[in-house]
Structures are given as C-alpha cells and as structure tokens.
C-alpha cells in the first residue's frame, strides 16, 4: 500500500525512512518540503537525490483531501467542505482577525457525543479522521491562502489552530496526537503550544493523557452550571460529571502552556442564560479552584434544534456577572454567518447514518419559563 506522508509526524517519518533504508535526517527534509513549502510532488524536492525521489514516488504520496466546495464570507471567513468518502464530508473554517489567522479543524466525520444544541451531534457518528486527514485540512488552507494572498515564502497565514470543527478530538486521540505534533514541529508549521487549542466536551481520562503526551491549550465545553442541566445538554456528563471534569481541568493546568482553561458556554435562550445560572457558574469554578476564562458563544440555530439564541442583552448581562466576579469573559463574535460557517452549523453533507438525530430531536429539554428566570 502507498503510504500517505501527511499521516506522519517527524518520528513517524523517521521510522518510514528507516524502513526504506534511508537516513533518519531525510525525515526533516521531507517534513519541511511538505509542510513548510506545501510540496505535493516528490519531483519538487530538489535537495533529495533523484534516486530517492524516484524511490519515494513508488511507495508514498502526499494525498490531499478533495474539495467539494469553498465559500468566502463578506467578513473574510473561508469555509471548505472536503469529501472524505462514502458520502461523508467535513468542514474547515479560516477566520482572519487583525494579525491572526485562526483555522478551525474537524477531527471526525459526525460525532458520537450527541450534544443537544449541536448539528454535528445530531447527525450521529460516521468515522474518525486519520492524522493525515486532520493535517491535510491545515496543509490545504495554509498553502492555498499563501498563494492567493501572495505571501512571501515562509510567511504564515494560519497563526492559530483550534480543534473546534466537527467531532470530538479526544475521541480520536490516536490520530489527533501525531497531527498536533506536525502543527507544533519547527520543521512543520512551527505553531506554539499556546496557539493550538484542543476543545473537548469533557473526556476526563483523555484530558489527563493529553497533558502528558502533547500539552496544548485546552478549551472545555461547559454549557451548564450544574449536572442536572449538563446531563441534558452534553450527554457525556452522565459519565463524567462536573466535579470530575473540573478536577481534570485543574490537573491539566500543571502542564498546560497557558495558565488558564477556556470554558466555552453556548448561550441558549431560556435554558442556561439566567442571572442565577451565571451566579451558580461563578460558584462552581470557585469551588473547583480552576483558573479559567469564559468564552460565551451565542447559539447558532439550525433547523429542528428546537432551541433559540439568547437575546443579546441577556448574553451581555451574563458576561457582566462573570466579569464582576473577576472571571475574564469574552463573547464570541459570530463569523461567517452568511456561509453557515459558524460554530455548530458545520452540518456539511455528512449523512445521518444513525437514528441519533431523530432521537435527539425528540428529546425533551427543560426550558425555564420567563417567571423562573431570576
Ligand atoms: N467536540 C468538541 C469540539 C467541537 S465543537 C467540543 O464539543 O468542545 C466546538 C464548540 O462549538 C463547542 O464549544 C460546542 O459546544 C460549540 N457548539 C456546538 N454547536 C453549537 C451551536 N449550534 N452554536 C454555538 N456553538 C456550538
Ligand atoms: Fe460533538 Fe462537540 Fe458537537 Fe458535542 S458539541 S456533539 S462533542 S462536536
């Protein structure tokens, strides 16, 4: 079988070179050609002997993802839909802001966690992406945008990566870690650990493993101040309740490149956005003693969710309460709205292969009546 070199981090490439009877330092050259220069063809690799290039062409390839569509938003956001076979598609979104370029990557086709407010979750799970498919999203975006924006050689377009596209990255751990290593490698994309963020719905054991194998910035999707509500919104909470999750967050800080965890909180009208819930959230993180920042995400509605976005004033009031308690809080701007590239809208064309979507749509959810809102 022909190996896809996008699947390998430096160590993996070195082992591959070994297996061909080639010196390990060739791995560094290959990584540079592929990821720093965007080479897709061994013929371009001018500092490799012709004999080696021919040998590589026989046993390996640099296999990009095939693009189904690309959309650019008026605000500069770019969204790609990639075909990953069998009727599955994944999405990648580039979000430029000031001097930063953030790329949001997918880790799975679909997602098995099934969060109530997430369209990916409602589609059910199709399959894990391979390391090469995770890295190929970055490879494609970086090199295509570099050419399009006429960047000088070596001048990066993507400065930050967030694993916040489709899928639960920590449920695809074996593929995630080599992909992260390529992002961090100085011969790869050379991104600092602080600028690569893994977002998780709360896979406690995997948070611990990540802290050992590849500590990068961590975002945890909280969405509720208590277990009763979080059980409904993020079904994984029934397995790993808040106390356990927050304890894992605290442990993670010992090896994290940043001195805080980012808590994401999707603002759902009448569900999790009351002043009393803001107060409960403050108490929760205080009790747990986790240094954190909050990122409030206005809910991006999608058909059949049966949920609505919190009104702007309520989001701001919620943010103010957290701020007043000394918690740094940002409200995420919705970007790429006109091209459906906002969080949780990454439905793509992934087929709903399971009954999960239907099941979720039927699941009742406790919405507080206005009178109950404090
Ligand atoms: N599975 C991981 C990462 C992907 S989701 C996780 O859950 O953290 C990235 C972020 O988008 C999460 O915080 C998720 O809760 C949020 N999200 C999902 N659906 C959303 C929606 N419809 N509107 C706003 N944010 C949403
Ligand atoms: Fe999966 Fe994250 Fe969506 Fe939950 S929010 S269903 S974990 S992608």
């Amino acid at each position: 079988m022909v190996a896809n070199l996008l699947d390998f981090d430096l160590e993996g490439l070195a082992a591959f070179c070994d297996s061909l009877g080639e010196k390990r330092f060739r791995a560094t050259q290959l990584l540079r050609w592929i990821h720093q220069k965007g080479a897709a063809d061994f013929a371009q690799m001018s500092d490799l002997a012709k004999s080696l290039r021919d040998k590589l062409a026989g046993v390996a390839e640099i296999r990009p993802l095939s693009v189904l569509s690309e959309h650019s938003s008026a605000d500069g956001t770019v969204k790609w839909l990639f075909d990953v076979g069998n009727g599955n598609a994944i999405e990648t979104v580039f979000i430029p802001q000031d001097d930063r370029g953030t790329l949001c990557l997918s880790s799975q086709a679909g997602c098995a966690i099934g969060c109530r407010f997430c369209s990916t979750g409602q589609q059910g799970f199709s399959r894990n992406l391979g390391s090469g498919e995770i890295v190929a999203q970055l490879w494609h975006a970086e090199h295509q945008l570099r050419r399009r924006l006429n960047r000088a050689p070596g001048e990066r377009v993507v400065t930050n990566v967030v694993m916040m596209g489709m899928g639960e990255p920590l449920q695809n751990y074996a593929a995630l870690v080599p992909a992260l290593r390529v992002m961090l490698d100085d011969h790869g994309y050379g991104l600092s650990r602080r600028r690569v963020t893994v977002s998780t719905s709360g896979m406690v054991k995997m948070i611990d493993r990540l802290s050992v194998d590849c500590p990068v910035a961590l975002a945890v999707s909280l969405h509720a101040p208590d277990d009763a509500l979080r059980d409904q919104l993020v079904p994984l909470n029934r397995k790993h309740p808040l106390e356990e999750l927050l304890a894992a967050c605290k442990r993670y800080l010992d090896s994290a490149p940043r001195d805080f965890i980012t808590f994401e909180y999707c603002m759902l009208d009448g569900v999790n956005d009351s002043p009393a819930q803001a107060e409960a959230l403050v108490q929760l993180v205080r009790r747990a003693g986790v240094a954190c920042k909050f990122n409030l995400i206005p809910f991006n509605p999608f058909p059949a969710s049966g949920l609505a976005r919190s009104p702007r004033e309520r989001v701001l009031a919620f943010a103010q309460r957290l701020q007043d308690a000394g918690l740094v809080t940002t409200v995420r701007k919705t970007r790429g709205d006109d091209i459906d590239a906002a969080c949780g809208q990454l439905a793509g064309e992934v087929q709903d292969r399971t009954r999960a979507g239907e099941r979720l749509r039927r699941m009742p959810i406790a919405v507080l009546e206005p009178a109950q809102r404090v």
Side-chain angles (χ1 to χ4, degrees):
M1 214 181 76
V2 175
N4 179 10
L5 298 193
L6 292 176
D7 272 319
F8 297 131
D9 59 9
L10 186 63
E11 205 35 55
L13 271 178
F16 182 73
C17 289
D18 254 354
S19 74
L20 297 180
E22 293 293 333
K23 297 249 165 45
R24 290 174 74 92
F25 77 86
R26 297 285 179 211
T28 313
Q29 287 177 303
L30 281 169
L31 209 66
R32 284 198 189 139
W33 273 109
I34 300 167
H35 299 291
Q36 290 187 348
K37 301 192 179 135
D41 189 342
F42 299 112
Q44 288 171 265
M45 303 184 179
S46 49
D47 57 358
L48 300 186
K50 172 87 170 60
S51 56
L52 174 57
R53 282 185 264 156
D54 291 345
K55 182 153 117 189
L56 284 169
V59 293
E61 62 181 341
I62 297 142
R63 193 187 310 143
L65 290 169
S66 54
V67 182
L68 283 174
S69 65
E70 182 189 319
H71 296 280
S72 296
S73 161
D75 66 13
T77 302
V78 185
K79 176 178 90 165
W80 293 270
L81 193 64
F82 294 107
D83 181 9
V84 291
N86 284 330
N88 291 314
I90 54 155
E91 292 190 346
T92 306
V93 182
F94 176 72
I95 307 148
Q97 190 177 29
D98 306 327
D99 56 350
R100 271 190 299 172
T102 301
L103 192 67
C104 179
L105 300 183
S106 294
S107 56
Q108 300 178 312
C111 181
I113 305 287
C115 298
R116 181 65 182 76
F117 50 85
C118 171
S119 69
T120 307
Q122 296 225 10
Q123 291 156 29
F125 176 68
S126 291
R127 72 167 175 86
N128 276 329
L129 300 185
S131 293
E133 291 172 317
I134 298 174
V135 170
Q137 299 169 61
L138 172 56
W139 183 86
H140 182 91
E142 172 68 39
H143 297 293
Q144 189 195 69
L145 292 174
R146 239 189 238 183
R147 284 190 295 273
R148 192 179 295 165
L149 303 171
N150 266 326
R151 291 294 169 92
E155 200 192 331
R156 267 193 239 139
V157 179
V158 176
T159 61
N160 296 59
V161 168
V162 293
M163 299 300 305
M164 294 184 188
M166 297 171 84
E168 167 51 55
L170 294 186
Q171 209 162 47
N172 186 14
Y173 193 79
L176 175 72
V177 169
L180 293 177
R181 290 196 174 126
V182 172
M183 296 172 203
L184 301 175
D185 201 305
D186 283 340
H187 304 296
Y189 295 88
L191 297 174
S192 96
R193 288 181 188 279
R194 303 157 56 87
R195 288 169 173 262
V196 175
T197 301
V198 167
S199 174
T200 179
S201 54
M203 302 197 60
V204 165
K205 290 196 189 85
M206 293 298 149
I207 291 175
D208 284 332
R209 279 185 66 184
L210 190 68
S211 73
V212 176
D213 295 335
C214 195
V216 291
L218 186 68
V220 172
S221 296
L222 218 49
H223 309 311
D226 57 73
D227 284 321
L229 181 58
R230 196 163 189 273
D231 280 351
Q232 291 189 55
L233 296 176
V234 184
L236 184 65
N237 196 69
R238 296 170 205 156
K239 193 166 166 208
H240 297 299
L242 280 166
E243 194 180 313
E244 215 185 290
L245 174 58
L246 293 175
C249 291
K250 196 167 176 196
R251 289 195 294 278
Y252 192 85
L253 285 171
D254 291 340
S255 44
R258 288 190 179 271
D259 53 10
F260 60 90
I261 302 286
T262 302
F263 287 132
E264 294 160 280
Y265 195 98
C266 178
M267 299 294 293
L268 300 162
D269 186 17
V271 174
N272 65 356
D273 60 351
S274 73
Q277 285 163 320
E279 193 48 43
L281 204 52
V282 170
Q283 298 307 328
L284 178 79
V285 298
R286 278 208 184 129
R287 258 195 327 272
V290 182
C292 60
K293 291 189 181 174
F294 271 88
N295 191 213
L296 306 182
I297 316 173
F299 171 60
N300 292 307
F302 55 92
S305 71
L307 297 164
R309 176 185 292 187
S310 304
R312 180 100 189 132
E313 320 78 71
R314 207 157 337 119
V315 176
L316 295 178
F318 199 93
Q320 193 59 51
R321 290 209 163 216
L322 300 183
Q323 290 276 24
D324 290 347
L327 299 167
V328 175
T329 304
T330 50
V331 176
R332 191 175 298 173
K333 266 207 293 191
T334 11
R335 301 286 303 264
D337 259 351
D338 51 337
I339 54 168
D340 271 5
C343 296
Q345 286 183 323
L346 306 182
E349 263 95 75
V350 181
Q351 291 171 355
D352 188 346
R353 298 183 166 281
T354 68
R355 297 246 140 232
E358 206 181 301
R359 229 180 18 246
L360 277 161
R361 280 187 288 278
R362 279 194 267 113
M363 198 166 87
I365 184 159
V367 177
L368 299 179
E369 291 307 316
Q372 288 176 269
R373 290 179 200 144
V374 183

